[in-house]
Amino acid sequence: MSGPRVPEAAEEGPTAELLRVRRGGQLSALDRLLLHSPPVAEGWNALLGALRGATTLPADLRELVVLRVAVLNDADFEWVSHEPIARRAGLAEPQLGALRRPEASAEPVWTPVQAAVLAFTDASTRDVAVPDEVFAGVRAHLDDRQVVELAVLVGGYAMVSRFLVALAVPPPEGEVAG
């Protein structure tokens, strides 16, 4: 399939401008699809803007979650648009490779907090329910706010991946800003 299952909406109006501000002036294919529903696009923009730029989670953990959810949900758009961000956040080639393997958190390339966050991401994405021992693993490293931010980050990017996959949005040429 060459393009998404729904045609892209017009790139004009106040909602398009709101999305442009977060994206540094450029709208992505994802944004142009969301513009079919301005209220949804505005809520999405607020949530994803907060997840990408206003949490207390370190950037490496944020991008680790985004890329792992992309792998688990076969969302190539997410991987392509976030891999450069993940590299800037400090994830190295062995870690990026490990994220593509079934039991990523067991690979010997992670810090203890990264392994705990990956185990949480896997449990939440695959099964929704997070076992007590996996939750305890993240609690050993993250404060209350960060645990909340982690849970919403996993859920938020699960939403993104499901939207992208359901509408068959092709991967971008590279990083998607904002």
Side-chain angles (χ1 to χ4, degrees), residues 6-159:
V6 174
E8 294 178 358
E11 295 184 32
E12 50 210 37
T15 302
E17 289 311 310
L18 187 66
L19 272 61
R20 258 192 204 88
V21 168
R22 183 169 74 88
R23 296 283 196 201
Q26 295 282 38
L27 295 180
S28 69
L30 183 155
D31 297 324
R32 289 187 296 275
L33 292 170
L34 287 170
L35 286 170
H36 283 292
S37 176
V40 170
E42 290 171 17
W44 183 292
N45 189 58
L47 175 61
L48 274 293
L51 291 175
R52 295 236 352 226
T55 70
T56 59
L57 290 171
D60 68 314
L61 296 181
R62 181 191 66 233
E63 295 307 319
L64 197 149
V65 167
V66 172
L67 291 180
R68 186 60 176 167
V69 170
V71 168
L72 293 174
N73 292 338
D74 293 321
D76 292 338
F77 184 107
E78 266 182 329
W79 182 277
V80 170
S81 61
H82 279 266
E83 183 182 359
I85 303 165
R87 289 178 187 280
R88 285 196 306 275
L91 295 181
E93 198 63 43
Q95 292 169 317
L96 294 171
L99 284 172
R100 293 189 177 274
R101 292 194 272 285
E103 298 305 318
S105 65
E107 298 286 334
V109 297
W110 308 114
T111 65
V113 66
Q114 288 172 333
V117 165
L118 276 174
F120 182 96
T121 301
D122 281 9
S124 184
T125 304
R126 288 176 170 156
D127 304 321
V128 183
V130 176
D132 289 342
E133 64 275 8
V134 173
F135 192 81
V138 296
R139 287 301 284 163
H141 302 282
L142 304 179
D143 63 27
D144 292 344
R145 178 177 174 169
Q146 291 172 319
V147 170
V148 167
E149 291 171 347
L150 174 63
V152 177
L153 181 67
V154 174
Y157 276 90
M159 173 185 73

